[in-house]
Amino acid sequence: MIELKDTIEINASAENVFDCLLQLMKDRESYQAWHPDHKEIKWIKGEPLEEGSVVTIEEFLQGVLTKLTFRFIKVIPNRLIIYRVLFPLSLIAPENRFEIEPTGDNSCIFTAYGRIRMPMWLFIKSHKSHRGKLEGSKKHMKEEGENLKKAAEKSP
């Protein structure tokens, strides 16, 4: 199993970070403000960051427009968001999650995780030039964390 992980310390409360995530994912304009490679977000079932809700996104990863549909499996406000890409990609990408861990009154650690269900050697062998895509995904994840940090730290 390949696990992508990025962690960043944010000088804002866990509640503020969760609220910022909610705002960044509520509509197209906000989603695009989160990261320049984000192009579209549409909530097709439920409300943003609600258990059972379904969202489609479009974003550029390594210059390739990628369209994905996710279902939010578990949401614990201000702490945890677990979401899964829908079938057939769910066979190789079983789970993604965001964790928010308070470290003080006005600080927390935000961690983003993504998983790919296959050994690295097989992923690279079966997906020509995907090692670069994997590195691109890590970079994208890191930039999302940095942009979330900026948004949360300047919000009241």
Side-chain angles (χ1 to χ4, degrees):
M1 173 104 48
I2 300 167
E3 183 171 270
L4 305 176
K5 177 181 175 183
D6 185 72
T7 299
I8 191 163
E9 185 172 353
I10 301 177
N11 295 315
S13 67
E15 293 81 6
N16 193 16
V17 171
F18 186 86
D19 288 345
C20 278
L21 264 177
L22 184 62
Q23 292 304 311
L24 291 170
M25 297 180 76
K26 72 177 185 171
D27 58 35
R28 181 181 189 211
E29 183 178 282
S30 302
Y31 189 63
Q32 289 175 343
W34 185 9
H35 193 285
D37 288 342
H38 290 176
K39 296 303 167 201
E40 184 65 71
I41 187 167
K42 292 181 185 173
W43 292 90
I44 57 177
K45 178 183 176 190
E47 298 296 320
L49 302 187
E50 185 178 88
E51 283 186 20
S53 62
V54 178
V55 65
T56 60
I57 63 159
E58 293 180 19
E59 60 188 28
F60 283 98
L61 293 174
Q62 291 296 99
V64 176
L65 184 61
T66 305
K67 299 177 184 183
L68 299 166
T69 302
F70 295 98
R71 178 180 318 278
F72 285 77
I73 304 303
K74 185 170 188 172
V75 177
I76 301 173
N78 313 322
R79 297 292 182 267
L80 176 68
I81 300 164
I82 299 175
Y83 58 102
R84 293 187 183 137
V85 66
L86 297 186
F87 185 82
L89 288 178
S90 59
L91 296 173
I92 62 165
E95 181 181 290
N96 296 290
R97 70 184 189 274
F98 297 134
E99 294 179 359
I100 305 168
E101 180 185 343
T103 56
D105 288 343
N106 203 38
S107 65
C108 63
I109 301 293
F110 175 79
T111 306
Y113 295 90
R115 291 189 178 150
I116 300 170
R117 188 182 289 147
M118 67 175 59
M120 178 69 82
W121 68 267
L122 181 58
F123 180 80
I124 293 168
K125 184 175 181 171
S126 64
H127 299 84
K128 293 178 182 165
S129 78
H130 275 37
R131 183 173 200 77
K133 289 183 182 179
L134 196 58
E135 292 307 312
S137 293
K138 288 179 185 178
K139 180 178 182 281
H140 183 92
M141 184 184 278
K142 181 173 184 55
E143 291 167 349
E144 284 180 335
E146 290 167 349
N147 293 339
L148 174 62
K149 175 182 173 73
K150 288 175 193 170
E153 288 181 352
K154 71 178 178 181
S155 290

